[in-house]
Amino acid sequence: MYSAQPSFWEKSTFLADIDIAIIGAGLVGTSAAIYAQKKYPKAKIVVFDRGFIASGASTKNAGFACFGSISELLDDLEDSEPDAVFSLMARRYEGLTHLLELLDPNRIDYKACGGFELFRDIDQSFAQKCIDRIEFFNKETEHITGLTETYRLDKAKLSAANFENTNMCIANVAEGQLHPGKMMQALYEQAKEIGVLFYHGIEISQVEDQSNHAQLELANGWTIKVNQVLIANNGFAQKMISDLPIKAVRNQVLVTSKIPNLSVEGTFHMHKGYFYFRNVDSRILIGGGRHLDLEHETTDQFGSNSLIEDALQALLTDVILPGTSFTIEDRWSGILGVGPSKLPILKKQSEHITLAVRLGGMGVALGSLLGKEAAQLI
């Protein structure tokens, strides 16, 4: 099929003399662009994204400013050494601190409302296992958060929120919530103010390192020569570098209609973090459930999943909003990048190509810090 070729005018302006091309206009890519532009104030830095805004996870996540629930950490400790688990946890906390320094917390609707892990009646034995380790995790995280009691039992949260079919709640007092859309909007404005360019609606199918430059192959058949490339499109990165240890997975998200006198406030996790929900003004946002259908949710294609949506609505009815009428007014999916390790991939792939991908569902916590570090590698 014929594709319009760039004109002489386009090639000599928009596509010419690009010093740094960043693929992915999400939290990592835009943060990297800001720090790279400050590092090289005279450089022409262009951020490319296939969507009209960041199209993967940065504007499609739940807005959790979280860094680790006890059940998730216990799960990690079964597969990894303690030093690795707590080192990554420290990186997440550092990343959240960095994000709130980079952006005005009020501008992104940040609320230090705490994170809460709920355990249903059927999970009583596992709940006790987590409770028994609270003291251990508080000791291990004191040097990270500066708090002697990051985690604590909070049964009062169950009754205050009118949850049902739950018997235990562990609070993480250092977590919070924010507005992902406002976060990205604030980052875009900051980047554009210092001269970063954004080219949206452009899909890059391949990146090649040539002898003295990198070459971008666009899906429409165009090619662009640039000095340096940062691949920061997380779950979609394997499309460009096929042997990366990363795979794209999908998460479902639902948002209810307004609930009069909603008593739920905070960010909540269940089942090792696979289910999560929070208040959005007077609504409930709920997401996750990928573990219920791993085969179909291991994909880089956006779309719905009725099995998972039914499970999320059942949680709303049976646990979160018992006896309350509601409808689902919004639904969407986001694409994450995961792999055999929860550590992000941050490295110089070749002379002209740098990678900052695989955030493992912790993009809000790690994204801006990873972007800053990626800019230092370019």
Side-chain angles (χ1 to χ4, degrees), residues 262-333:
L262 181 68
S263 56
V264 177
E265 182 178 14
T267 60
F268 297 82
H269 293 90
M270 300 177 68
H271 194 72
K272 301 178 182 179
Y274 278 111
F275 290 121
Y276 49 85
F277 65 95
R278 58 166 285 189
N279 64 303
V280 180
D281 299 323
S282 57
R283 307 171 189 270
I284 292 292
L285 177 153
I286 185 169
R290 174 166 47 90
H291 63 295
L292 300 175
D293 192 3
L294 289 174
E295 179 182 356
H296 290 102
E297 294 302 278
T298 302
T299 177
D300 62 4
Q301 300 298 307
F302 295 100
S304 60
N305 185 313
S306 58
L307 171 68
I308 292 174
E309 289 188 1
D310 288 347
L312 295 176
Q313 292 194 58
L315 275 178
L316 286 167
T317 301
D318 298 338
V319 175
I320 305 166
L321 299 170
T324 302
S325 297
F326 64 87
T327 58
I328 301 300
E329 291 194 351
D330 279 299
R331 65 187 74 217
W332 67 83
S333 60

Side-chain angles (χ1 to χ4, degrees), residues 135-194:
E135 185 176 348
F136 165 76
F137 283 109
N138 278 336
K139 182 178 179 181
E140 292 294 329
T141 58
E142 184 175 356
H143 73 283
I144 297 172
T145 65
L147 302 172
T148 57
E149 192 180 57
T150 299
Y151 300 96
R152 60 178 173 81
L153 280 178
D154 193 351
K155 282 190 174 182
K157 194 70 175 179
L158 301 179
S159 56
N162 297 314
F163 296 137
E164 285 193 359
N165 300 310
T166 56
N167 60 39
M168 196 59 61
C169 174
I170 298 176
N172 180 333
V173 300
E175 293 187 337
Q177 60 179 229
L178 51 77
H179 190 303
K182 293 183 178 181
M183 174 187 72
M184 289 310 306
Q185 188 174 51
L187 276 175
Y188 290 155
E189 291 175 5
Q190 189 175 142
K192 291 175 181 178
E193 189 175 306
I194 60 175

Side-chain angles (χ1 to χ4, degrees), residues 8 15 34 116 124 131 168 202 231 260 263 290 340:
F8 171 83
L15 307 182
I34 290 171
F116 303 90
Q124 189 168 357
I131 292 167
M168 196 59 61
I202 298 178
I231 298 176
S263 56
R290 174 166 47 90

Side-chain angles (χ1 to χ4, degrees), residues 26-95:
L27 180 53
V28 176
T30 306
S31 298
I34 290 171
Y35 284 104
Q37 194 72 75
K38 291 178 178 178
K39 182 180 179 182
Y40 306 111
K42 295 183 179 181
K44 181 177 179 180
I45 298 175
V46 179
V47 182
F48 293 84
D49 202 280
R50 68 178 188 170
F52 77 97
I53 53 177
S55 55
S58 292
T59 54
K60 292 181 171 65
N61 63 71
F64 280 41
C66 60
F67 55 91
S69 61
I70 284 184
S71 68
E72 179 192 356
L73 294 169
L74 282 176
D75 199 42
D76 291 343
L77 286 170
E78 291 184 3
D79 301 318
S80 305
E81 292 297 320
D83 286 350
V85 171
F86 291 110
S87 176
L88 179 57
M89 185 184 188
R91 292 266 294 159
R92 293 170 178 171
Y93 188 79
E94 180 186 3

Side-chain angles (χ1 to χ4, degrees), residues 342-368:
K342 287 191 174 183
L343 285 173
I345 298 174
L346 174 64
K347 67 176 183 177
K348 196 80 174 174
Q349 176 76 1
S350 60
E351 184 179 355
H352 300 101
I353 301 173
T354 302
L355 300 176
V357 294
R358 199 179 71 186
L359 281 78
M362 282 285 180
V364 171
L366 292 169
S368 65

